[in-house]
Amino acid sequence: MTTIVSVEANWVLDSRSSPTVEATVTLADGRSSFAQAPSGASTGSHESWERRDGDPDRFGGRGVSGAVDVVRDEVSSALSGMDVTDQAAVDRALVDLDGTENRSRLGANTMVAVSAACARAGAMARGVALWEHLAGERRPSLPLPMVNLFSGNLHASGGMSIQDVLIVPFGAGDESTAIEWAHDIYCAARAILAERGASTLVGDEGGFGAPSPSSEAAIALAVEAIVRARRAPGEEVAIALDVAATHMLQHDGSYLLDGNALSADDLVETFVAWADRFPIVSIEDPLGEDDWTGWGRAAARLDPTVQLLGDDLICTHVDRLERAAALGCANAVLVKANQIGTLTEALAVADRARALGMRAVVSARSGETEDDWLSDLAVASGAGQIKVGSVARSERLAKYNRLLRIARGHGAPPWSGANGFDRALGPQG
Ligand code: 2PG
Ligand code: MG
C-alpha cells in the first residue's frame, strides 16, 4: 500500500506573503501527505531555477500556477505507480522528468515540494519518523543551531551591509539547552535595544534589524547580548556571520561595506581584524559567488579553524562543491534543498562534503512556511549544523520546535555537540 496514486499541487502563502508550492501525495491506501517549498531572497545566480508565472496582474508576477499545472499534467502521471518509500527512485524520476541542468522545466520549487511530500508519505507508509526514513545508512544527529540575531541588507530593508550576525551556542550539552540559550540571548539583545531607544522590529528571519548601519557594531552588540544572558563569549557561545557578499558587489568589482567601497583583499583584511577581536567561528559567503580568487585569499588569511561556508558560491551543487574543495577556498557548504531540487540531491551534497573533509550546514530560506521537513532533513543528514533564522516568527519556530520534539522523542539521535568550535576558540575566545 505504499504506491503513489496521485500528486496534486496548489499555492499557499509563505512568510513574506509570496505564493509558494504545496504538493500533496496520495497513496493507494487513501492516506496522503503534503509539503511546502521555501524561497530565497538573497539568491545565488547558480541556484536551480525557481518557477514563477511572471504575470504582473497576479501576485506581482510571483504566482506559481505554472508549477501547479505541471504537477497535475506531468508529475502526477510520472510518479504514479511508484513505491513512495524509495525516495531515491522518486527523486530520480523527478530529475529525469525535468531533464534540464538547472531545473528550467519543472522548477526547483515544484520539485522540492513534491520531493518532500513524497518523503513524508514514505515515512508515514513505513511508520517511522521522517528523519529516520531519510537517514538510510547515514548516522543521524541533532544539529547545533546557528541562530540569527541581527539582520541587514536584503533581509531587513537595508541597514548594515552584511546580511546576518548569528550566535552559535556550541557549549550547550544538548539541543534544548542550545535553543534555551539562544532564547536568552535573543531576549537580552531585545532588552539592550529597548534600553537604547533602538527599534526592536525584526527582519525576514526574525533577527532584529541592526540598530546602526555598522556591521561591526552589530557584532559587538551580539557579544554584549551573550554576556547579558550570562553566557561566556568564545567559551560557550560564538559568533557566525553570513556576509552574503554577492549582494554587496558593485559594478566595478568592489564590495560596499557600510558605505565604504573595499577591494576583495581589503574586505578579507576586515574579516581578519573582526576574527581577532570577536569570537567568530564561521563566515558564510565572505566574497561574491564567482570570486574564487577572493575566497582563496580569505582561506589563506583567516585561521583555518574558521568555518568558511559556501552558500552562493556552491549553491548546493556537487560540481561547485568539488571545485571549492580542489581550490581549498571553502571548508563548509550550506545545503539548501531548493537550490538544487530534490532531498536526495541535497543529502548527496552533505555526504560528499563529509567525504571531502568539509562540513555541511543544512539551511532554511528567508521565505519559509510553517512546514518543518527541513529539521528532519538536517537530522537525517548527520551534518551537525542547522541554520533556520532566529528564535522568533512561527515559520522559524516550526523548525526549532520540531528539533525539540525529535530530541525528546523515543530513540532520539545523538547531539552533534560543538562541531569542533570549542577547539577553534579556546578558553579566551
Ligand atoms: C542565506 C539565506 C538564509 P536566502 O543567505 O543563507 O539566511 O537567505 O534564503 O534569502 O537566500
Ligand atoms: Mg547565505
Side-chain angles (χ1 to χ4, degrees):
M1 299 307 271
T2 61
T3 308
I4 298 172
V5 292
S6 70
V7 188
E8 290 165 63
N10 222 320
W11 67 265
V12 292
L13 293 178
D14 75 8
S15 55
R16 276 191 289 245
S17 201
S18 265
T20 193
V21 184
E22 176 178 281
T24 302
V25 178
T26 302
L27 304 181
D29 62 6
R31 289 187 296 172
S32 64
S33 288
F34 71 88
Q36 297 159 345
S39 177
S42 76
T43 48
S45 59
H46 303 287
E47 294 194 18
S48 296
W49 182 60
E50 181 180 66
R51 185 172 185 147
R52 298 275 177 195
D53 297 341
D55 173 359
D57 291 336
R58 293 200 63 203
F59 297 114
R62 294 183 60 77
V64 291
S65 57
V68 168
D69 291 348
V70 84
V71 170
R72 183 194 56 223
D73 298 341
E74 297 191 44
V75 173
S76 188
S77 52
L79 299 191
S80 70
M82 291 190 78
D83 177 1
V84 79
T85 63
D86 189 349
Q87 185 70 27
V90 165
D91 286 344
R92 210 176 311 118
L94 281 170
V95 168
D96 290 348
L97 179 66
D98 175 77
T100 71
E101 272 296 301
N102 70 342
R103 281 67 217 269
S104 58
R105 244 176 49 70
L106 300 181
N109 49 340
T110 318
M111 291 171 72
V112 85
V114 174
S115 176
C118 287
R120 196 168 262 147
M124 181 179 66
R126 286 179 57 203
V128 298
L130 178 55
W131 62 266
E132 224 174 326
H133 175 53
L134 288 171
E137 299 300 304
R138 294 175 193 86
R139 280 196 294 183
S141 65
L142 289 161
L144 174 64
M146 190 181 263
V147 183
N148 190 307
L149 200 57
F150 297 114
S151 293
N153 213 332
L154 295 179
H155 289 178
S157 319
M160 65 174 177
S161 295
I162 69 172
Q163 185 173 285
D164 311 318
V165 174
L166 308 101
I167 49 166
V168 184
F170 68 87
D174 55 35
E175 191 79 63
S176 63
T177 306
I179 293 173
E180 184 174 339
W181 287 8
H183 155 274
D184 294 346
I185 295 162
Y186 186 80
C187 292
R190 184 163 53 201
I192 294 169
L193 292 174
E195 281 165 21
R196 294 183 186 164
S199 166
T200 54
L201 295 177
V202 299
D204 285 354
E205 301 195 18
F208 300 108
S212 93
S214 154
S215 303
E216 187 172 319
I219 302 171
L221 204 56
V223 174
E224 209 183 320
I226 295 169
V227 172
R228 172 80 70 103
R230 299 194 307 278
R231 292 290 147 214
E235 281 180 55
E236 294 179 305
V237 182
I239 301 288
L241 307 177
D242 182 0
V243 179
T246 307
H247 308 284
M248 290 163 46
L249 258 177
Q250 305 194 100
H251 290 305
D252 64 359
S254 65
Y255 292 89
L256 193 65
L257 176 66
D258 301 329
N260 301 311
L262 301 181
S263 67
D265 283 1
D266 288 344
L267 188 61
V268 168
E269 291 315 310
T270 303
F271 300 142
V272 171
W274 286 353
D276 272 353
R277 257 190 78 196
F278 303 110
I280 293 173
V281 288
S282 178
I283 307 181
E284 179 179 333
D285 285 355
L287 284 305
E289 61 188 357
D290 290 310
D291 190 352
W292 298 93
T293 314
W295 273 85
R297 173 95 186 153
R301 290 287 297 127
L302 284 156
D303 189 292
T305 58
V306 174
Q307 175 169 275
L308 277 180
L309 180 55
D311 174 13
D312 292 351
L313 181 79
I314 298 173
C315 280
T316 318
H317 279 54
V318 167
D319 52 339
R320 294 183 70 87
L321 173 72
E322 300 279 357
R323 182 168 176 195
L327 294 172
C329 66
N331 55 26
V333 58
L334 201 74
V335 176
K336 292 167 164 171
N338 74 327
Q339 280 184 332
I340 183 71
T342 64
L343 302 198
T344 301
E345 291 167 300
L347 287 167
V349 167
D351 293 344
R352 185 67 190 135
R354 186 179 299 112
L356 290 165
M358 295 170 72
R359 294 176 181 166
V361 180
V362 175
S363 175
R365 302 307 306 247
S366 51
E368 278 286 340
T369 69
E370 70 278 16
D371 202 337
D372 59 9
W373 56 261
L374 187 90
S375 300
D376 288 77
L377 184 75
V379 169
S381 72
Q385 294 181 69
I386 188 169
K387 187 179 89 158
V388 299
S390 205
V391 280
R393 298 184 53 138
S394 296
E395 79 280 5
R396 314 286 143 194
L397 297 176
K399 281 72 164 174
Y400 288 116
N401 291 344
R402 172 68 185 149
L403 288 176
L404 289 172
R405 276 194 298 277
I406 296 172
R408 292 165 184 162
H410 178 70
W415 168 235
S416 64
N419 278 266
F421 294 143
D422 44 351
R423 294 189 297 280
L425 285 166
Q428 257 71 50

